Amino acid sequence: MSKKVAVIMGSDSDFPVLAPAIKRLKGFGIPVEVKVMSAHRTPDAAAEFSRTARDQGFGVIIAAAGKAAHLAGVLAAHTTLPVIGIPVKSSTLDGLDALLSTVQMPSGIPVATVAIDGAENAAILACQMLALSDEDLAAQLLQMKADIAEGIAKKDAALQEKVAAL
């Protein structure tokens, strides 16, 4: 069985952004635990969760936050597990502030960062990390990539028909 993935959001208002990640992880059969924690309002709880995450059976932590967006970095500072940051778009600077806060980490505290609101890619990246030691999950990821390629081929064929009809 695969290790669990933690999906941590800085605010419950981030849930709509994270729902695709949770759905994708569940679709791959990955156990998921979802929590609200704040780097600024509950720093002790965030640090404690991160410190004990490996012992709790987690293999990857996904952390989403907007504005100051320090959550992923705080979690990464207290664990050796991979942390994937999702900068969340807010009314301030369209999420650019969150992107820079998430991606600009000091040496020794890496955070893999996906696009602003890029929750689905965060989930896929977490699955790829877990698939390093899970052949069944690796096979599911290969099938997903094949399905994506097949979908693109169908779109191309439909486009070619439209072009030919011009």
Side-chain angles (χ1 to χ4, degrees):
M1 167 163 286
S2 288
K3 292 184 178 267
K4 299 185 290 186
V5 172
V7 177
I8 312 297
M9 60 193 82
S11 169
D12 62 342
S13 65
D14 298 332
F15 181 73
V17 171
L18 289 170
I22 298 163
K23 184 176 180 180
R24 176 67 77 168
L25 289 164
K26 287 183 172 188
F28 278 112
I30 304 295
V32 182
E33 289 187 24
V34 182
K35 300 181 180 294
V36 175
M37 291 182 191
S38 171
H40 305 109
R41 295 181 294 263
T42 61
D44 293 338
E48 179 62 19
F49 173 82
S50 190
R51 255 193 301 277
T52 62
R54 183 181 298 277
D55 292 338
Q56 293 178 52
F58 291 99
V60 179
I61 298 171
I62 295 173
K67 297 188 179 179
H70 296 127
L71 182 58
V74 166
L75 295 171
H78 296 282
T79 189
T80 58
L81 292 176
V83 175
I84 302 168
I86 304 171
V88 176
K89 183 177 180 178
S90 67
S91 59
T92 309
L93 300 175
D94 285 332
L96 184 58
D97 53 337
L99 173 63
L100 295 174
S101 294
T102 304
V103 77
Q104 289 294 107
M105 293 301 301
S107 182
I109 312 297
V111 171
T113 306
V114 296
I116 296 168
D117 290 351
E120 191 164 0
N121 269 352
I124 293 168
L125 181 56
C127 289
Q128 289 175 328
M129 290 171 175
L130 295 176
L132 291 170
S133 60
D134 184 330
E135 290 302 318
D136 291 336
L137 185 55
Q140 288 182 63
L141 286 162
L142 279 172
Q143 184 59 55
M144 180 200 74
K145 299 265 182 169
D147 292 345
I148 290 170
E150 182 181 329
I152 296 298
K154 286 179 181 177
K155 289 178 181 184
D156 181 59
L159 177 65
Q160 297 311 313
E161 288 179 19
K162 289 178 185 177
V163 170
L166 294 178

